[in-house]
Amino acid sequence: MNKPMTPKGIVQEELLLWEKGQKGKVGYSMPRQDVESAAIDSSLERAELDMPDLSEVEVVRHYTRISQWNFGLDTGMYPLGSCTMKYNPKTNDKQASLPGFTKSHPLLPIDCAQGTLRVMYELEKQLEEITGMDAVSLQPAAGAHGELAGMLIFDAYHKSRNSTRTKILIPDTAHGTNPASAALCGYESIPIASGEDGVLHPEQVKELMDEETAGIMITNPNTLGLFEEHIIEISEIVHEKGGLIYADGANMNAIMGIVKPGKIGVDVMHLNLHKTFSTPHGGGGPGAGPVCVNEKLKPFLPVPRIIKEGESYRLDENEAQSIGKLHAFYGNVGVLIRAYSYILTMGAEGLKKASQMAVLNANYIMEALKDTFHLPFDKDCMHECVFSDRDQKEQGYTTLDIAKRLIDYGFHPPTIYFPLIVNGALMIEPTETESKEDLDRLIDVLKLIVREGSENPDQLHAAPLHSKRRRLDEVTAARKPCLTGC
Ligand SMILES: *Cc1c(COP(=O)(O)O)cnc(C)c1O
């Protein structure tokens, strides 16, 4: 077995800057004065701010240490199911840092922003090609924001046909953002149960779909990592009753270059550029959730739209049926440039291969661990696989203990207790960017944890043992959150 990583060396405790500061310390030096001093107007004097006084080296060490407590894709494997935590190539950051992009202001006259508009226009075209949809808006700032755009488009479409619809069908495997986005647009969510085989069945949809139902939100592949193989039949049932199909495209990493949602009955979908297209997931920073539609829904897209005329680009705000603006200016442009750079560096073949590798890696893990953990849906998976802790619970430890113990061995835990229809779910999405050695290490460590659990479950209840912070009291943290460092 590969040697698990064990933490060694110094991990500093860190005070708040306010606790560390001392009156009179300075972290800057002013240039030598070469003009005469003059009194400033007292009305311009700044109010006394509660800012700590610190030296330069204290500030540098403080932030460097805090940055080292972080765990991210550049530190290690992050098999967080449904989140597609693939490595983000550094060339994307390099392209987005070109001064032509970083120094352009959203209020520039259009003539001076042609390059940025061209990138955005071409990204829209690339995403149309990848999804098989007819038009794209890059405005939404996240997947959930794309869903909101999609639901507003559903509503605008039905209203334009003088049809009042109040309900929406949502499978029991859906991400929580789906019913939340629907509710924000005033829809009542009607849950649909997946079949024994983990996918939706047309008969179930037929029973629930009526002319008061705006449509259905489907995630494909779904959050069990299974392809919704009846989607064409389902879309026919929904369309026949005048409804629309929304595809949650968060799992697009399984099907790039293989399935075009626009060709299997989808009317609206979102993509998560910070998942499938390798832009950073944030850490507070922005994401992007472009919304893609077919021809009949084009007039409802958010404005402004980017229009190409000859070799030049302009923005068009005049679309009478548009749902309006969803984001200041044009969306999170820095993220869009990174996705554009990723798509160009991968090329069509590269994107397809990425999906194939993502699926292969997930199946490799599923096969290697199916004798270790209960596999509720025992069939080939797409880009992620979902186990349960049924057998471990009998021995006195759970998914939560396994997740916490993984931290001790240098892995970010997988997604746990989701999807909700699997008790004690452990949802592993390795992505295509992990090497076979790293997949094997994760497999070995999970087997090791199960051995530890069968010998001494109490030890697992105490995990993590080697992390900066020990296990939190989650009930107290949820009931009495302390957000100010108290
Ligand atoms: C991540 C995810 C979302 C929400 O996307 P955000 O970009 O986090 O807002 C929606 N549905 C599924 C299935 C997801 O995995």
Short mmCIF file of all heavy atoms in Angstrom, two decimals, residues 81-83 141-145 147 174-175 177-178 219 223 248 250-251 270 272 274-275 288 418, ligand 1:
data_model
loop_
_atom_site.label_atom_id
_atom_site.label_comp_id
_atom_site.label_asym_id
_atom_site.label_seq_id
_atom_site.Cartn_x
_atom_site.Cartn_y
_atom_site.Cartn_z
N GLY A 81 -18.42 14.77 -4.39
CA GLY A 81 -19.40 14.39 -5.40
C GLY A 81 -20.34 15.52 -5.77
O GLY A 81 -20.74 16.32 -4.94
N SER A 82 -20.67 15.57 -7.06
CA SER A 82 -21.59 16.55 -7.65
C SER A 82 -20.94 17.93 -7.81
O SER A 82 -21.56 18.82 -8.37
CB SER A 82 -22.89 16.67 -6.84
OG SER A 82 -23.91 17.15 -7.66
N CYS A 83 -19.72 18.10 -7.33
CA CYS A 83 -19.09 19.42 -7.39
C CYS A 83 -17.99 19.51 -8.45
O CYS A 83 -17.50 20.60 -8.73
CB CYS A 83 -18.52 19.80 -6.03
SG CYS A 83 -19.82 19.98 -4.82
N ALA A 141 -24.46 34.07 -12.21
CA ALA A 141 -23.19 34.01 -11.47
C ALA A 141 -22.92 32.66 -10.83
O ALA A 141 -21.90 32.48 -10.19
CB ALA A 141 -23.20 35.10 -10.40
N ALA A 142 -23.83 31.70 -10.97
CA ALA A 142 -23.64 30.37 -10.37
C ALA A 142 -24.69 29.45 -10.96
O ALA A 142 -25.62 29.91 -11.64
CB ALA A 142 -23.82 30.43 -8.85
N GLY A 143 -24.56 28.16 -10.66
CA GLY A 143 -25.55 27.21 -11.14
C GLY A 143 -26.94 27.58 -10.65
O GLY A 143 -27.90 27.62 -11.42
N ALA A 144 -27.04 27.86 -9.36
CA ALA A 144 -28.36 28.17 -8.80
C ALA A 144 -28.95 29.43 -9.45
O ALA A 144 -30.16 29.53 -9.65
CB ALA A 144 -28.25 28.35 -7.29
N HIS A 145 -28.08 30.36 -9.80
CA HIS A 145 -28.53 31.59 -10.47
C HIS A 145 -29.01 31.26 -11.89
O HIS A 145 -30.00 31.84 -12.37
CB HIS A 145 -27.35 32.58 -10.49
CG HIS A 145 -27.74 34.02 -10.64
ND1 HIS A 145 -26.83 34.98 -11.01
CD2 HIS A 145 -28.91 34.66 -10.47
CE1 HIS A 145 -27.44 36.15 -11.07
NE2 HIS A 145 -28.70 35.97 -10.73
N GLU A 147 -30.34 28.40 -12.64
CA GLU A 147 -31.66 27.77 -12.43
C GLU A 147 -32.74 28.85 -12.26
O GLU A 147 -33.83 28.72 -12.82
CB GLU A 147 -31.65 26.94 -11.14
CG GLU A 147 -30.82 25.70 -11.19
CD GLU A 147 -30.70 25.06 -9.80
OE1 GLU A 147 -31.65 25.19 -8.98
OE2 GLU A 147 -29.66 24.46 -9.52
N ALA A 174 -32.97 15.29 -6.82
CA ALA A 174 -32.53 16.64 -7.20
C ALA A 174 -31.70 17.33 -6.12
O ALA A 174 -31.87 17.07 -4.92
CB ALA A 174 -33.74 17.51 -7.52
N HIS A 175 -30.83 18.20 -6.54
CA HIS A 175 -30.08 19.09 -5.66
C HIS A 175 -31.08 20.06 -5.02
O HIS A 175 -32.04 20.47 -5.68
CB HIS A 175 -29.08 19.85 -6.52
CG HIS A 175 -28.01 20.56 -5.77
ND1 HIS A 175 -28.12 21.87 -5.39
CD2 HIS A 175 -26.79 20.15 -5.36
CE1 HIS A 175 -27.00 22.24 -4.78
NE2 HIS A 175 -26.19 21.21 -4.74
N THR A 177 -31.05 23.10 -4.61
CA THR A 177 -31.27 24.38 -5.29
C THR A 177 -32.42 24.31 -6.28
O THR A 177 -33.02 25.34 -6.59
CB THR A 177 -30.00 24.83 -6.06
OG1 THR A 177 -29.54 23.73 -6.86
CG2 THR A 177 -28.90 25.27 -5.12
N ASN A 178 -32.75 23.10 -6.79
CA ASN A 178 -33.82 23.01 -7.79
C ASN A 178 -35.17 23.44 -7.22
O ASN A 178 -35.78 24.38 -7.74
CB ASN A 178 -33.91 21.60 -8.40
CG ASN A 178 -32.75 21.23 -9.31
OD1 ASN A 178 -32.75 20.18 -9.95
ND2 ASN A 178 -31.72 22.06 -9.41
N THR A 219 -31.84 16.44 -13.62
CA THR A 219 -30.38 16.49 -13.62
C THR A 219 -29.90 15.24 -14.34
O THR A 219 -30.31 14.14 -13.98
CB THR A 219 -29.85 16.49 -12.17
OG1 THR A 219 -30.53 17.53 -11.46
CG2 THR A 219 -28.36 16.72 -12.11
N THR A 223 -27.97 12.75 -9.60
CA THR A 223 -26.99 12.85 -8.49
C THR A 223 -26.64 11.49 -7.90
O THR A 223 -25.83 11.42 -6.97
CB THR A 223 -27.52 13.77 -7.37
OG1 THR A 223 -28.70 13.18 -6.85
CG2 THR A 223 -27.83 15.16 -7.89
N ASP A 248 -30.68 20.44 -15.28
CA ASP A 248 -29.62 20.92 -14.39
C ASP A 248 -28.32 20.32 -14.93
O ASP A 248 -28.12 19.11 -14.89
CB ASP A 248 -29.94 20.42 -12.97
CG ASP A 248 -28.88 20.80 -11.95
OD1 ASP A 248 -27.70 20.89 -12.33
OD2 ASP A 248 -29.24 20.98 -10.77
N ALA A 250 -25.24 20.53 -13.95
CA ALA A 250 -24.10 20.46 -13.03
C ALA A 250 -23.23 19.22 -13.29
O ALA A 250 -22.05 19.22 -12.96
CB ALA A 250 -24.58 20.46 -11.58
N ASN A 251 -23.84 18.18 -13.87
CA ASN A 251 -23.09 16.94 -14.09
C ASN A 251 -22.63 16.78 -15.54
O ASN A 251 -22.37 15.67 -16.00
CB ASN A 251 -23.92 15.74 -13.64
CG ASN A 251 -24.11 15.75 -12.12
OD1 ASN A 251 -23.34 16.39 -11.40
ND2 ASN A 251 -25.12 15.06 -11.64
N HIS A 270 -28.67 24.92 -17.40
CA HIS A 270 -27.53 25.75 -17.00
C HIS A 270 -26.28 24.88 -17.01
O HIS A 270 -26.35 23.65 -16.93
CB HIS A 270 -27.74 26.36 -15.60
CG HIS A 270 -27.51 25.43 -14.46
ND1 HIS A 270 -28.52 24.83 -13.75
CD2 HIS A 270 -26.35 24.97 -13.90
CE1 HIS A 270 -28.02 24.05 -12.82
NE2 HIS A 270 -26.69 24.11 -12.88
N ASN A 272 -22.29 24.81 -15.10
CA ASN A 272 -21.51 25.42 -14.01
C ASN A 272 -20.08 25.51 -14.53
O ASN A 272 -19.39 24.49 -14.58
CB ASN A 272 -21.54 24.55 -12.76
CG ASN A 272 -22.96 24.23 -12.30
OD1 ASN A 272 -23.72 23.63 -13.04
ND2 ASN A 272 -23.31 24.63 -11.10
N HIS A 274 -17.61 26.67 -13.12
CA HIS A 274 -16.67 26.33 -12.03
C HIS A 274 -16.68 24.84 -11.74
O HIS A 274 -15.93 24.38 -10.88
CB HIS A 274 -17.01 27.16 -10.78
CG HIS A 274 -18.48 27.21 -10.49
ND1 HIS A 274 -19.34 27.97 -11.22
CD2 HIS A 274 -19.24 26.57 -9.57
CE1 HIS A 274 -20.58 27.82 -10.77
NE2 HIS A 274 -20.55 26.96 -9.77
N LYS A 275 -17.52 24.07 -12.39
CA LYS A 275 -17.43 22.62 -12.26
C LYS A 275 -16.81 22.09 -13.56
O LYS A 275 -15.62 21.85 -13.64
CB LYS A 275 -18.82 22.00 -12.02
CG LYS A 275 -19.42 22.44 -10.69
CD LYS A 275 -20.77 21.81 -10.39
CE LYS A 275 -21.29 22.30 -9.05
NZ LYS A 275 -22.65 21.87 -8.77
N ALA A 288 -19.76 31.02 -12.39
CA ALA A 288 -20.61 31.40 -13.52
C ALA A 288 -21.50 30.22 -13.90
O ALA A 288 -21.05 29.08 -13.94
CB ALA A 288 -19.77 31.82 -14.72
N PHE A 418 -25.84 12.93 0.85
CA PHE A 418 -26.53 13.42 -0.34
C PHE A 418 -26.17 12.48 -1.48
O PHE A 418 -25.01 12.08 -1.56
CB PHE A 418 -26.10 14.86 -0.65
CG PHE A 418 -26.79 15.40 -1.88
CD1 PHE A 418 -28.09 15.87 -1.81
CD2 PHE A 418 -26.14 15.39 -3.11
CE1 PHE A 418 -28.73 16.33 -2.95
CE2 PHE A 418 -26.79 15.85 -4.25
CZ PHE A 418 -28.08 16.32 -4.17
C1 LIG B 1 -23.56 22.36 -7.72
C2 LIG B 1 -24.93 21.98 -8.10
C3 LIG B 1 -25.94 22.94 -8.26
C4 LIG B 1 -25.77 24.40 -7.87
O1 LIG B 1 -24.74 25.04 -8.52
P1 LIG B 1 -23.96 26.27 -7.84
O2 LIG B 1 -23.02 26.68 -8.91
O3 LIG B 1 -23.30 25.72 -6.61
O4 LIG B 1 -24.98 27.31 -7.53
C5 LIG B 1 -27.17 22.52 -8.72
N1 LIG B 1 -27.40 21.23 -8.98
C6 LIG B 1 -26.46 20.26 -8.84
C7 LIG B 1 -26.79 18.86 -9.19
C8 LIG B 1 -25.20 20.62 -8.37
O5 LIG B 1 -24.26 19.67 -8.21
#
